[in-house]
Amino acid sequence: MWKFLVSICFALACILSGCSQTYQWSKKHPYYKQAPYGELAIAGVQNAFVLTRSGWFAKRLNVSPDSIQIVGTQFCAQSMLNEMKGAYSKLNILPENALADSPEESQKLDDRIFMRGKLPEQGVSIKDSAGNIPPRILIIHEVIVGTDLNRESFFDYAVIHNESPERTAAKNISAIVSYTLWDNEKQRPLFSAVDEIQHPVLVMTWADMETLIRLAVSEIRKNLYLGAK
Amino acid sequence: MKSIKALLMFLFVFVATMAATVSASDIFFNSKWTLWENADILIWTNDKELAIDPREFCLSLRRNNMAIGEPKCRTLGEWERDTIAARYANWLSNNIEPGLSSNYLKARHPSMSAKIQELEDKIVLYIADKGNVLQIAIFDETSSEPRAAGTVQKKADKIALGDDIASTFFDRKTSRRLSKEERQKKLTEPDEYYKEVPNVRAWGGFSVGYAQAQVPLTPYNWYHRHVESEIRNYRITRDSVSLWNFIDDSTPLFTLYAGAIWYGFIGGEIFYRYSNHVVKTDKRDTIYNELDHWEFGQHEIGLNVMFSTTFSPIKLMDIHLFGFLGFQYSFYSEDIAVKKDVEYPSKAYKARIKFEDVYKGALFGGGSQFVFAKHYGFSIRTGISSRGKSVYTEPSPDAGVEPTIIGAMTVDWFINFGLEYHWDL
């Protein structure tokens, strides 16, 4: 009886304090009916990556702490593009400055989840380097790479400013990806989402980093597919 | 034969006109925007040639909606020359599609939404030619999303087209435009939702109900000692803690009441309740052969404090949910008589049980009032009420040896349905 009461009290406290919070991590346009297949343009990958705990990564990957940010993010961006090339036979990689003039905006996914990123203006179509207009563009806004990251602590505005807990031994390397599938013909976001990928790691190597990015790409593709259903 | 032909002809024309009116226009959404009297209508397009004639459109508006007064219509050249507005216009013509609500058509560019906000009482009518249909959207200064959107079938006749647009989108009530002073004044007025709660709402009513000792959803064995008890020899029962040992607990209940709520939140109610309880005499006891009838009328007056909240699911009905807590005084008037042929009642008759003059009790419960057209209401209330010790007994040092008071713990459950009349004061 006491146990039952205690558990009820605990559940109540949980509801009141909001620890049972669930989030909606993606948003689709009513006209998003078919996931990209075979053909896709991709933008923003080159500048999307951010490495947190760079000291930790530098030490384990034997890179000097001064250059880990550049080396790490370049490696990640390249692996993501390679992975995407394997997934979409006609992958059209847009140049780095394709979105340079676009305004940065926030998209609301949930009551407390807002993701920021550059989106092309209404009425302006993005052109690739050959001057063609790709029909759909996957815009990667930001990929945060680190250890044991939770997407809530980056995207829920109510907890963004909370202090992070003391660092313990890292169990996983993680990536948090925010992206938008953009309808370039009608200039509207078809599918926007924030994904969180965890990859358990014992001895950190470049191969683990590559696996993390591979998992991220497969998660993106899975969500693009589920979103269209 | 001729008449059949005529009938067929008529049917054909009828079906054709029906089909034409059905397919002529499509409204994707139409929110509650304000159409001003003597409206200023700015016609905005990105097309090379405007599909309607502004002057003729003004006449269409007047033909279609007498209340519109003397509208002014002109093309919105300043937006047509602006790059950002032109981009947005282009984007709109790509994106106005069935099934998209207004928030999917929002102007994202800050300078575009600033342009829309500067309109000040003017109405922008966006028109885009899509070949066989015209896309229509309507903007006003209150939102950077279109307030209405849809399509009308394209026609070569500009006047007929103007009529179609006017009848589809501008067939609504008009409001008088406010002057500058009125506008200033309106800004300082309190919120309309604030005003909708009256300072005081009062009511009076009459209700019919039922009361019994057993509270629903509680076990019967809490009550059976009282409910099943009977009186022997005019005064002997197993115990006397509850009046339900002596009198029947389940009876109809009648209530007269009046109350008031302040600011839709806190209020009070005064009430008078009446019910009649027959005394439960033991049928096996032959002493009752002399008795004709024996019953008690229960009169209660009291006062409740109420806390209330209001919902308005439809325009003509308000639902007030409330909880109440109060106290009451209960009086029992005995009605007893022996049979006509009995000249001298028994000794036991004269020494029969007596109740206290007055009992003080408490009651609590909740309910709901359903008020139609602000005045006519019906209500349901349910709760638990009690009757306790007389308030007028002085505490004495001999309290321990005093006999117990009859009916010091008389509790019952009640439910009643009332008809009420409400006033807003």
Side-chain angles (χ1 to χ4, degrees), chain A residues 119-141:
Chain A
L119 294 178
E121 245 177 76
Q122 285 169 321
V124 180
S125 296
I126 301 294
K127 286 180 183 155
D128 64 10
S129 41
N132 301 319
I133 295 174
R136 286 163 166 204
I137 306 173
L138 179 66
I139 302 170
I140 308 286
H141 299 301

Side-chain angles (χ1 to χ4, degrees), chain A residues 11 15 19 63 88 98 127-128 139 166 177 192 198 213 217 226:
Chain A
I15 289 163
C19 72
V63 182
Y88 298 97
K127 286 180 183 155
D128 64 10
I139 302 170
E166 231 168 81
V177 194
S192 315
Q198 305 283 357
I213 302 300
V217 170
L226 290 177

